[in-house]
Structure formats: structure tokens, C-alpha cells
Amino acid sequence: MRQIFIIFLLFSTLSFAGENIDIESSSKNTISLDVYQSNGKVLFLYLPSERGFGNGYVPTAQQLAFSGVDVWAADLHESYMISEGRSSIDKFEINDIVEIISIAKTKGYSKVFFITSGRGAKLALRTAFEFQKKYPKSNFISGHIFHSPHLISGAPLLGEEARYIDSAKFSNLPIYIILPQNSTKFLRSEEISNTLKKGGSSVFTHLLRGVSGGFEMRAETSLTETDLKYKSDLTDIYLNAIQLMSTVVIPKIVKNISLNKVETKSPLYDPKLIPFQGNPAPPELILSSINDKTININDYKGRVVLINFWASWCKPCVKEIPSLVRLYERLSNEPFDILTVNIGEDKKSINEFLNKIKFDLPILLDTNGVAVRDWKVYAYPSNFVLDKQGKIRYAYRGALEWDSDNIVKEFEDLL
């Protein structure tokens, strides 16, 4: 193994409060670690999501150390001086993280588990894969704990099946997935699990009802009562997770596989409607409304229809609602309708939201995510425009100012 220089004193005392450690790799990069030490034999290595680290994980890390599990949190954005963002994960040096794992092994740990969220799951899977290729007889990396993992390559066009990253298809380690209800991955739990299982992983899925996405890393002042309850339980959840994963016999990785380093880039979107590239015949859409009426998209032939997929916990969704209402009012004398499809929330939550904002548009309830899967929706908000013949003409992922003149003009051309 290449020489590794470690710029810190060897751990000699317990450090539940955390201390900053710098590690200089053989590539001369200095990696900053926030260390919570208990002199245990199991190590949790926190890897950042694309949004980096806040301080929200610190109470959980302290509790883990108190419970006998050591924690290292690798602040890779600061270490590499890379700005937070969707593509930041792809800029980190995998070999440096592999070396950190090797250092951990020399410290006498018997097992290491990764903890991360979002696109950090890509980094964890790739690092584990490269470590296993380098040390094929080692079972030192024993599993992953993922919060709402984002494993899609690029951004699929609306109406197109998502393509998952290579490292998800060739993962062989056990994986414990935590999915809050108020997050984009909740209704994709089965799809994510099945993708990882195809790679040989044993997958355990823990669904959290009524919990906000990112609760595990956010400050407590921004969390709901339900969020706080589950955050206080995270230590027990993690400890139970490693007990489950430790029962799994890990299959060998496929040695002759090389992972693509560059993922598919997300297409750039202008603030205008995008001509739909998929099959113009829309999938079935028959849902109950919040007023207990059955809505069938086939009943809207002869009218232009905007279908908007949204949720009250989705900030871009909420931001665009006033402009959706204004668009509907502006075209109120035309054969035009807006149908909004709420994703996975119950009536009580929606009604509480409606008390805070004007939203005089039909709300359809996609409680179990059937429409999300049929319409191949992977991000919120997502929007489809149907012409008078009932064909999908336009699509748009993300929020818009729907009553801007150029958008209204595109609707008027269909009318």
C-alpha cells in the first residue's frame, strides 16, 4: 500500500464531543474528518450528500459514540474546496476515500459502515466497489445506511424510464434504506430496492410516515414534532440496522466490471414548455379528488389540460402555485383546465396546507404513487400539457411562472 501521512496524534482518549482530524493522502490531498471516538470496534463513516454537511448530524454522532460506535464524518466539500451542488459528488477522489478506509482498518476496527444521503449514495457505492476490487478478500466494509438515496444517472426526460448508475447495479453489500414520506424517493422505494437487489445486495427498507426529507441532517429548530421523534430514535435505528446487515453473507463482487466515471448529464431546461419526446398517448389517470370525486383524464377530450404533480413539502411546487392559479384565471373563458396531482399526502395534511395558501384548483390524490409510476415522474414539480385531442404535447420538470406571457402564448396556440 502507498505511504499515507496522517496529520494528527493517535487517539488516546474518548471524544464524544468530536474533534477535527486532518488526513493527508498519498495524492497529497488533505481530508478533514470530524471524529467522535468511543474506542469501539465498529466505525460509521459519514459521507456528505451533494449538499454537504450541516451540523444536524452532530447529536446523533455523539449518541453513537456514547453507545460504543465510533464516527468519522468526512467533510469532502471543504477538503477539496468544491462548491456544494448536484455534480459535486463526481469531483471527489475515490482513491482518497479508499485510503481513509484502509487507515480505519489499521486502527483496529472490525467493521465499517457508510452513512449518507441523496447523491452521497453514489459516492458510497463507488468507494465500496473500488475498495473491494483492491482488497477482494476483505469484508471490512460491511454495509451502507442510506437516507433517500439518489441513484439515477442524469435526469430522465419526462415520460422516460430512469437509468440507474452502474454502481447500483453491481453493489453486493447489504443496504439499509431510510425513506421519509415527504421526499421524492418515498414512492420509489420498491424500484430502488429492486435495482440494488439485482446487484446482489440484501436491502432493508425503513419507511417513515409523516417525516420530512433531510430530517437527519437538519437543525432541530427546523423540524416538526414527528421529525424530532424519529431523529431522537436514529441511534437505535442505526444500531438495529447494523445488527440486521451483520446477519448477511456478502457475495463476491464481479471483478471484471469497470464503472463508468462520468454519469449522464442532466439536460438544461429553459423557462419554456418543452415538446414532449415520449409516446403522446397519455397513461391512464383515474384518481379520486380531495372532494371525493372520481377524475378521469379521458373525460377532458376537447379541452387543453395542464397536469401538475406536486406536494406541499416541495418548496418549488409551493412557489409556483400562485402563478398556476393566475394562469387558470387568465384562461378561464377558454376550454382549459388544470389538474393537480398531489403525491402521497393525506387529506388532513393537504387541507392544513390549503388553509395557508389560495389554491382553487382540482386536487387529485395519488396516495400510493400509482400515477407517479405510470407517468414516469421522478422529480417534483413535474408537468404535462395535453392538447384537445388528449395527446401529450409539452412537458416541464421544475417550477415555472405559469402566467408569463411566453407561456400563456403557448397555451393559446393549443386553444
Side-chain angles (χ1 to χ4, degrees):
M1 187 174 72
R2 293 174 295 176
Q3 187 177 10
I4 301 170
F5 300 93
I6 309 173
I7 313 173
F8 60 88
L9 295 176
L10 294 179
F11 307 140
S12 57
T13 60
L14 298 182
S15 180
F16 299 149
E19 60 179 313
N20 186 259
I21 304 298
D22 288 334
I23 294 180
E24 185 178 330
S25 72
S26 58
S27 62
K28 302 302 181 183
N29 291 316
T30 300
I31 309 301
S32 178
L33 299 177
D34 192 17
V35 172
Y36 299 81
Q37 189 187 355
S38 69
N39 290 336
K41 292 297 183 181
V42 175
L43 173 67
F44 279 172
L45 178 62
Y46 273 87
L47 295 177
S49 74
E50 68 274 19
R51 298 181 180 87
F53 280 134
N55 293 320
Y57 73 94
V58 171
T60 304
Q62 291 172 332
Q63 291 172 22
L64 286 167
F66 188 77
S67 299
V69 176
D70 287 26
V71 177
W72 294 1
D75 191 346
L76 300 178
H77 289 86
E78 179 179 315
S79 299
Y80 290 104
M81 293 184 288
I82 291 173
S83 299
E84 298 167 6
R86 292 183 179 182
S87 63
S88 61
I89 294 296
D90 299 323
K91 299 175 183 177
F92 301 142
E93 293 291 337
I94 298 296
N95 287 337
D96 288 347
I97 310 173
V98 170
E99 288 189 6
I100 291 174
I101 303 302
S102 301
I103 291 172
K105 200 169 189 312
T106 67
K107 297 297 175 188
Y109 295 111
S110 60
K111 296 179 180 180
V112 61
F113 295 87
F114 289 133
I115 300 178
T116 189
S117 61
R119 289 173 171 82
K122 297 182 178 182
L123 182 64
L125 289 172
R126 180 177 284 274
T127 300
F129 183 87
E130 297 301 336
F131 182 89
Q132 288 178 307
K133 286 190 72 173
K134 188 171 183 179
Y135 305 104
K137 296 183 179 180
S138 174
N139 288 326
F140 184 53
I141 302 180
S142 300
H144 304 283
I145 298 174
F146 291 156
H147 288 265
S148 300
H150 184 98
L151 302 174
I152 294 172
S153 178
L157 295 172
L158 283 175
E160 180 182 83
E161 291 283 358
R163 186 172 69 84
Y164 282 83
I165 58 173
D166 287 348
S167 51
K169 303 171 195 173
F170 298 109
S171 171
N172 66 325
L173 294 172
I175 299 172
Y176 192 94
I177 301 177
I178 301 171
L179 292 172
Q181 183 176 10
N182 298 339
S183 67
T184 59
K185 305 301 182 293
F186 184 79
L187 295 177
R188 294 282 176 186
S189 60
E190 186 176 354
E191 181 178 321
I192 295 169
S193 177
N194 288 340
T195 298
L196 292 166
K197 286 178 181 177
K198 290 177 183 177
S201 289
S202 295
V203 182
F204 306 91
T205 303
H206 191 159
L207 303 179
L208 305 182
R209 301 282 177 182
V211 179
S212 305
F215 78 101
E216 75 282 358
M217 299 301 286
R218 287 161 49 193
E220 293 186 357
T221 54
S222 67
L223 299 179
T224 68
E225 186 175 332
T226 304
D227 296 339
L228 289 169
K229 176 188 179 302
Y230 279 102
K231 186 162 184 174
S232 67
D233 291 341
L234 271 181
T235 297
D236 289 337
I237 291 173
Y238 290 167
L239 294 177
N240 288 335
I242 63 174
Q243 286 185 349
L244 277 173
M245 290 189 285
S246 295
T247 65
V248 173
V249 177
I250 300 174
K252 298 298 182 183
I253 63 166
V254 181
K255 295 181 181 179
N256 60 348
I257 294 294
S258 295
L259 303 180
N260 292 326
K261 186 173 184 180
V262 179
E263 306 280 345
T264 304
K265 292 184 177 180
S266 301
L268 298 177
Y269 291 104
D270 294 324
K272 63 181 181 180
L273 298 180
I274 308 297
F276 186 65
Q277 301 298 314
N279 183 351
E284 183 179 81
L285 184 67
I286 304 175
L287 295 172
S288 294
S289 74
I290 197 169
N291 298 320
D292 297 321
K293 295 181 180 179
T294 299
I295 304 295
N296 188 333
I297 192 61
N298 291 331
D299 295 336
Y300 287 79
K301 296 284 181 65
R303 302 179 68 83
V304 174
V305 182
L306 168 60
I307 300 174
N308 170 265
F309 287 83
W310 72 285
S312 67
W313 46 263
C314 164
K315 291 182 180 179
C317 300
V318 174
K319 182 179 180 180
E320 72 173 1
I321 285 174
S323 69
L324 281 170
V325 173
R326 293 194 300 268
L327 171 66
Y328 183 71
E329 292 173 346
R330 189 165 173 175
L331 298 177
S332 60
N333 294 324
E334 303 291 342
F336 172 70
D337 292 286
I338 298 176
L339 299 177
T340 74
V341 180
N342 180 271
I343 303 154
E345 296 183 275
D346 57 33
K347 287 185 180 181
K348 180 181 178 182
S349 299
I350 298 172
N351 283 320
E352 289 175 353
F353 173 76
L354 295 178
N355 289 331
K356 303 174 186 176
I357 189 170
K358 179 182 178 182
F359 195 176
D360 298 328
L361 297 171
I363 299 175
L364 283 59
L365 305 178
D366 189 23
T367 307
N368 298 317
V370 174
V372 163
R373 290 186 286 272
D374 288 347
W375 287 70
K376 298 180 175 63
V377 172
Y378 292 89
Y380 315 138
S382 287
N383 305 275
F384 299 85
V385 177
L386 278 60
D387 62 20
K388 290 182 177 181
Q389 289 71 46
K391 304 298 183 183
I392 304 176
R393 291 288 298 275
Y394 296 103
Y396 191 85
R397 179 190 288 106
L400 275 176
E401 283 295 320
W402 287 97
D403 63 330
S404 61
D405 290 341
N406 63 313
I407 299 296
V408 173
K409 176 64 166 58
E410 294 188 70
F411 281 107
E412 289 175 337
D413 290 343
L414 293 178
L415 293 166

